[in-house]
């Protein structure tokens, strides 16, 4: 082999080694990724208005706008299974900030938030009654983990570096000025079980808005024995700080328990500062009422005689807690009794007072002497002039044989005997 050929052979080997080096070096090179990390923002999906005295769902949208600022790869290296812009295991906490509100929802885990993703998170917010209207800033605090760097040192393994981070983002909210009714006093007027009466509700506007052309509405809560006969009481302009009274007519069920206080709610409908017709939050209160008007028939049983018409007195006592006006008693007779005068006017019967009714009742001539029960009832009106009928009132009637019909023949016989004796004595006296 000549010298020229030998140099060519060495050159070829050197070139081959260089080429192998180029082929091998990518496998042994370091692959690195650098990034600015996640770029998280928070926005509101819908309204950010809060109403004093109410609880509102505040829907947030968590968005990741992160982008990779530098990426270094060599040919044939492994790809990272993590993206440096992803906020991993993110948790969102909503803080009141300077807003005078209560956050009812605990921090929420929203999971991984990749670049370009938008994740919803809803929080329950309560704005207490009386909160001043205005603009406030709440704070959304997001804690997460991300991968800022990954290095490949072998052909099969990548080493990942993770970092804990957090960001606090302002969330603007608005507390809306409203007219807010606050119950000052509730007064029952002639209200009792099984009847109708009035409920006077006194309200104060503790809000920050004038309730223009306002009306007050009353809503029984749940399954209630209270039924408003009137509603939507117009009170006109309801200025903050002013007090007004709305009077509702209410019916109470017969079986209502007068020992209980039943819940009701009131609210306003009015024109607000923007000219919109709006409704205020519900305000709860309670209603009590008196016992149903009841009557008892007192005294001894009335006495009837077979085959005769007797005029009997029945005394009725108002054992309720409200007056019965224009009271009228009626007795219901069935066989073996009849009546041509079964109604009696009693007038007004105050609680604890009594009135006497006169009835004309005839017992059939074949009526068995014993004690019977006769039904009666009282029709009356209450304070609001609504007419009612009482529950059935039992009247005891004792049927007795008429002893006067036997006394007359006996008396005549005794008189006759006395006359005979007197005549005999007179004859004896003349004979002497």
């Amino acid at each position: 082999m000549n010298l020229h050929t030998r140099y060519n052979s060495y050159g070829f080997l050197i070139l081959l080694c260089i080429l192998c080096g180029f082929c091998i070096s990518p496998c042994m090179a370091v692959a690195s990724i650098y990034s600015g990390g996640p770029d998280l923002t928070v926005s509101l999906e819908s309204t950010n208005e809060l109403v004093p005295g109410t609880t509102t769902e505040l829907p947030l949208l968590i968005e990741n706008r992160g982008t990779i600022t530098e990426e270094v790869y060599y040919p044939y290296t492994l790809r990272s299974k993590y993206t440096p812009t992803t906020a991993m295991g993110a948790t969102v906490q909503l803080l009141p900030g300077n807003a005078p509100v209560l956050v009812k929802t605990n921090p929420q885990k929203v999971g991984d938030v990749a670049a370009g993703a938008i994740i919803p998170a809803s929080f329950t917010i309560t704005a207490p009654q009386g909160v001043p209207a205005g603009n406030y800033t709440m704070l959304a605090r997001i804690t997460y983990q991300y991968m800022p760097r990954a290095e490949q040192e072998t052909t099969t393994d990548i080493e990942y570096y993770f970092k804990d981070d957090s960001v606090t983002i302002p969330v603007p909210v608005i507390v809306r000025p409203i007219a807010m009714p606050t119950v000052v006093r509730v007064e029952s007027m002639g209200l009792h079980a099984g009847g109708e009466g009035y409920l006077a509700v006194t309200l104060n506007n503790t809000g920050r808005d004038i309730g223009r052309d306002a009306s007050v509405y009353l809503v029984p809560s749940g399954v209630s024995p209270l039924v408003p006969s009137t509603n939507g009481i117009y009170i006109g302009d309801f200025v903050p700080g002013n007090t007004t009274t709305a009077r509702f007519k209410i019916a109470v069920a017969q079986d209502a328990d007068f020992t209980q206080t039943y819940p009701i709610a009131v609210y306003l409908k009015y024109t607000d500062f923007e000219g919109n017709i709006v409704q205020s939050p519900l305000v709860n209160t309670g209603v009590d009422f008196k016992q149903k008007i009841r009557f008892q028939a007192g005294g001894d049983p009335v006495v009837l005689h077979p085959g005769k018409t007797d005029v009997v007195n029945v005394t009725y006592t108002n054992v309720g807690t409200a007056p019965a006006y224009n009271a009228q008693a009626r007795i219901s007779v069935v066989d073996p009794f009849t009546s041509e005068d079964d109604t009696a006017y009693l007038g007004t019967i105050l609680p604890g007072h009594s009135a006497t009714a006169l009835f004309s009742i005839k017992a059939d001539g074949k009526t068995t002497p014993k004690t019977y029960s006769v039904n009666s009832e009282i029709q009356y009106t209450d304070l609001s002039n609504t007419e009612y009928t009482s529950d059935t009132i039992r009247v005891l009637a004792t049927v007795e044989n008429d002893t006067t019909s036997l006394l007359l023949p006996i008396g005549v016989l005794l008189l006759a005997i006395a006359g005979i004796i007197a005549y005999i004595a007179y004859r004896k006296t003349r004979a002497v």
Side-chain angles (χ1 to χ4, degrees):
M1 180 181 298
N2 58 34
L3 183 62
H4 179 72
T5 303
R6 185 179 303 169
Y7 281 125
N8 285 340
S9 298
Y10 287 137
F12 175 75
L13 290 174
I14 293 171
L15 179 61
L16 182 61
C17 290
I18 292 173
L19 291 176
C20 289
F22 278 118
C23 292
I24 295 171
S25 61
C27 297
M28 302 301 296
V30 174
S32 301
I33 298 174
Y34 300 90
S35 171
D39 181 11
L40 300 177
T41 64
V42 173
S43 60
L44 285 158
E45 185 176 3
S46 56
T47 179
N48 64 340
E49 285 191 343
L50 306 176
V51 177
T54 64
T55 297
T56 305
E57 291 294 322
L58 201 63
L60 303 183
L61 295 177
I62 315 302
E63 183 179 0
N64 187 349
R65 300 177 180 176
T67 58
I68 297 176
T69 57
E70 182 179 353
E71 184 174 347
V72 179
Y73 283 107
Y74 292 101
Y76 308 109
T77 58
L78 298 175
R79 284 281 182 173
S80 171
K81 61 181 179 180
Y82 299 105
T83 304
T85 52
T86 298
M88 295 180 292
T91 298
V92 184
Q93 180 182 14
L94 187 62
L95 303 171
N98 68 349
V101 299
L102 302 175
V103 180
K104 298 292 187 178
T105 307
N106 292 327
Q108 295 190 44
K109 293 183 180 297
V110 296
D112 295 348
V113 185
I118 300 177
I119 307 296
S122 184
F123 290 84
T124 302
I125 311 298
T126 296
Q129 185 174 329
V131 169
N135 297 322
Y136 298 94
T137 301
M138 301 184 70
L139 301 173
R141 181 175 176 81
I142 307 174
T143 57
Y144 59 93
Q145 188 179 69
Y146 75 104
M147 184 207 71
R149 182 181 179 85
E151 294 184 355
Q152 179 182 342
E153 296 184 349
T154 70
T155 58
T156 57
D157 295 317
I158 297 179
E159 184 175 358
Y160 299 100
Y161 298 87
F162 295 98
K163 181 179 180 181
D164 293 326
D165 205 351
S166 66
V167 61
T168 301
I169 303 170
V171 179
V173 294
I174 299 172
V175 175
R176 185 180 182 86
I178 64 168
M180 185 69 201
T182 298
V183 176
V184 177
R185 184 173 60 256
V186 177
E187 182 181 4
S188 299
M189 305 167 62
L191 201 58
H192 58 84
E196 282 190 340
Y198 290 95
L199 187 70
V201 182
T202 301
L203 302 171
N204 180 262
N205 184 358
T206 57
R208 298 294 187 271
D209 190 18
I210 298 175
R212 294 176 176 82
D213 296 324
S215 294
V216 184
Y217 289 81
L218 186 146
V219 182
S221 298
V223 180
S224 175
L226 308 174
V227 179
S229 302
T230 58
N231 220 333
I233 306 300
Y234 181 77
I235 59 173
D237 289 349
F238 198 19
V239 178
N242 279 13
T243 299
T244 188
T245 299
R247 195 173 77 156
F248 301 89
K249 189 174 183 181
I250 293 183
V252 185
Q254 292 264 1
D255 58 352
D257 185 354
F258 74 96
T259 65
Q260 301 296 319
T261 297
Y262 290 91
I264 61 169
V266 294
Y267 66 90
L268 299 177
K269 273 189 178 179
Y270 64 96
T271 302
D272 69 1
F273 67 99
E274 295 179 332
N276 301 314
I277 297 177
V278 296
Q279 176 178 317
S280 75
L282 292 174
V283 180
N284 295 314
T285 186
V287 176
D288 53 16
F289 44 83
K290 296 179 179 179
Q291 188 178 12
K292 178 182 178 181
I293 296 179
R294 297 182 299 114
F295 300 90
Q296 288 180 351
D300 297 329
V302 299
V303 179
L304 304 175
H305 303 93
K308 289 189 62 178
T309 299
D310 294 288
V311 176
V312 297
N313 297 332
V314 180
T315 300
Y316 293 97
T317 302
N318 181 352
V319 294
T321 56
Y325 301 97
N326 304 312
Q328 182 174 274
R330 186 172 68 87
I331 198 162
S332 301
V333 294
V334 294
D335 189 64
F337 306 112
T338 58
S339 177
E340 295 180 355
D341 185 12
D342 60 357
T343 302
Y345 182 75
L346 304 176
T348 297
I349 310 177
L350 298 176
H353 289 228
S354 302
T356 299
L358 300 179
F359 300 112
S360 177
I361 303 176
K362 181 180 180 180
D364 186 86
K366 298 180 181 180
T367 304
T368 302
K370 65 176 183 177
T371 299
Y372 294 82
S373 178
V374 181
N375 293 337
S376 69
E377 61 188 18
I378 294 179
Q379 293 180 331
Y380 62 95
T381 59
D382 63 7
L383 182 66
S384 62
N385 206 34
T386 303
E387 190 172 286
Y388 300 96
T389 301
S390 72
D391 293 337
T392 299
I393 307 165
R394 304 290 183 182
V395 177
L396 296 179
T398 298
V399 177
E400 300 176 351
N401 288 321
D402 192 351
T403 57
T404 58
S405 61
L406 298 176
L407 290 176
L408 181 60
I410 293 173
V412 172
L413 178 60
L414 291 176
L415 288 175
I417 294 172
I420 293 172
I421 293 173
Y423 177 74
I424 293 173
Y426 172 75
R427 290 296 299 266
K428 288 181 178 180
T429 302
R430 292 285 300 226
V432 174

